[in-house]
Each structure stands twice: as C-alpha cells, then as structure tokens.
Amino acid sequence: MKITFYGQNSLAIEVSGKHILIDPFISGNPLSKDKVNIMSLKADYILLTHAHEDHILDAEAIAKNTGAKIVSNYEIAMHYQAKGIDVHPMNHGGNWKFDFGNVKYVNAVHTSSFPDGSYGGQPGGFVIEGEHKSIYIAGDTALTMDMKLIPLQTKLDLAILPIGDNFTMGINDAIIASDFVRCEKVLGVHYDTFGFIEIDHDEAKKKFFDAGKDLMLLEIGESIEL
Ligand code: NI
Ligand code: MN
C-alpha cells in the first residue's frame, strides 16, 4: 500500500492495483495548488470523509475527469449522484468489500455541511484494509472514545490523524487518539493550510517521540510505503 500526501486531508492510496483519492482539496490549497495538477491524478475511487470545502473541493472535477466512483455517507453520495457521478453510499458502522479491499465508515465528532450550507450528513472517517495492511483515516474529528472500538476488530498499521487543532484534535489529543486506536505509527494531516491550524513541526514530532510514538509529516507529493 502506497500513500501520497497532497496537503490538508488529501491523500492518494495505491492498493491492489487501484487508485484511491481521499478528500481532494488541492486547487484551493495555497500549499499544494502550484505543485499538483488535479487533472493528472488517477482515481478509481474518491473517498470523502465529510462535506466541508477543504475536503471536497476537487472531488467533482476529478470524478468527471477520471470516471471515479465517490464513496461517502448517504447524503454526500446523493449530492454527487444528482450531478451524474457514480457513487457508493455508506453510513456509520457499515463495511463494504470493494475490489481493492474492505472499507468501514466510522464515527467522527465534527460537523458536515456543504459550502452552500446544505446538509452533508454526519461526518466520518474510514478504516481501509487491503494487501494485508490496515489504515485508519480519522477525517476531521475531536478525540472521541469511539476510537477505542477500532482496535477491537482491526490491527492498524497506520493511523492518519488531524493534528492542526482549532477545528480538530491538536497534538496532545492526537497522541491519546493513537493510544485509543492502538497504533504507534501516525501520519499527521490537517495542519498549516490556514493560519488557524499552523503548527510547530519539531515540537509536534518531539511530543510524539516523548510519548514513544512516531509522527510522520510528509511534504506535498511525498509518499510512504506500508
Ligand atoms: Ni471539516
Ligand atoms: Mn477540514
């Protein structure tokens, strides 16, 4: 499983020969807009955690360019189906076996409205299992006890957690979250994009290190292999 970071919560995952994009927000991200051309991205699936603009901005354009299927909660799926895009609706607690592996839509504590204010369902995260690897993409969320449910069924290889604070968990809560999901290996996301979520990278890494954990912060376009 190969994971590439495109800023904020935007990720590309290559697994079982399929290309999955998570929360594509690139053309509006000052950190990534000049580095990544959304029309060059491959996608068989686009997974959306919730309806906020910093997660969905480029989903429609990429889906129409690639023919990718959008996977999200019911309300978000219906929003894109009405635009003629192929969708797979899910809801909290549900699993589905896709051709690349299993996806579960899990709880997040956040809000989820579209940029025009219309209802985007309840926000979520994803547990993705494929090629004998399991990752948790928390999406935008507070620290929540529901995270303790994930390791009851899944041994995670990587937890992708928001660390920017203000709109989501910050560093200290993300360290506790990694305890809750029983995964010491964390990829930080949702930081530095706007003034509200700027972080000190060295301080963040030191706090994780002092807690016996490994925080990875990737450059835009940088990849890791699991
Ligand atoms: Ni959000
Ligand atoms: Mn967000």
Side-chain angles (χ1 to χ4, degrees):
M1 192 185 286
K2 182 181 176 187
I3 300 167
T4 305
F5 179 60
Y6 290 131
Q8 196 68 342
N9 200 49
S10 301
L11 301 155
I13 300 171
E14 288 179 54
V15 57
S16 307
K18 299 292 175 184
H19 291 85
I20 303 162
L21 287 179
I22 311 292
D23 287 359
F25 169 73
I26 294 162
S27 67
N29 181 343
L31 302 181
S32 54
K33 66 182 171 62
D34 297 328
K35 295 181 178 163
V36 183
N37 173 7
I38 60 167
M39 289 302 145
S40 72
L41 296 175
K42 294 178 184 169
D44 298 297
Y45 298 90
I46 301 170
L47 274 56
L48 301 176
T49 60
H50 66 294
H52 285 160
E53 188 168 49
D54 62 314
H55 297 258
I56 65 158
L57 180 69
D58 298 318
E60 181 175 348
I62 296 170
K64 286 182 171 167
N65 186 48
T66 58
K69 180 178 287 199
I70 288 183
V71 180
S72 191
N73 69 33
Y74 179 79
E75 288 78 9
I76 293 172
M78 291 306 108
H79 171 91
Y80 286 104
Q81 188 174 64
K83 294 173 181 286
I85 293 168
D86 194 14
V87 301
H88 181 107
M90 298 185 75
N91 221 323
H92 299 86
N95 288 277
W96 186 261
K97 282 208 188 319
F98 291 89
D99 53 4
F100 59 85
N102 194 79
V103 173
K104 186 173 189 180
Y105 191 61
V106 296
N107 296 349
V109 174
H110 192 67
T111 56
S112 176
S113 49
F114 284 98
D116 68 359
S118 62
Y119 180 54
Q122 297 295 309
F126 295 103
V127 176
I128 301 174
E129 299 184 66
E131 292 178 350
H132 307 291
K133 299 289 179 188
S134 293
I135 64 171
Y136 168 47
I137 299 168
D140 286 8
T141 184
L143 177 65
T144 165
M145 296 293 272
D146 287 345
M147 292 169 176
K148 291 188 172 188
L149 299 173
I150 291 168
L152 297 182
Q153 289 181 316
T154 310
K155 173 84 185 77
L156 293 173
D157 296 289
L158 179 69
I160 301 177
L161 304 178
I163 56 169
D165 222 329
N166 191 71
F167 295 116
T168 67
M169 296 188 286
I171 302 292
N172 295 339
D173 283 357
I175 290 170
I176 298 170
S178 77
D179 284 335
F180 282 6
V181 300
R182 293 194 213 150
C183 183
E184 312 291 284
K185 194 172 177 184
V186 173
L187 174 62
V189 293
H190 214 273
Y191 61 92
D192 285 359
T193 311
F194 327 105
F196 287 128
I197 60 174
E198 281 174 10
I199 65 160
D200 180 326
H201 294 204
D202 291 337
E203 185 190 359
K205 286 181 179 173
K206 184 173 187 314
K207 281 186 172 179
F208 269 83
F209 181 80
D210 289 347
K213 298 168 189 296
D214 177 25
L215 175 68
M216 287 175 286
L217 301 177
L218 300 179
E219 299 292 328
I220 304 290
E222 193 181 352
S223 300
I224 53 170
E225 196 88 45
L226 289 185

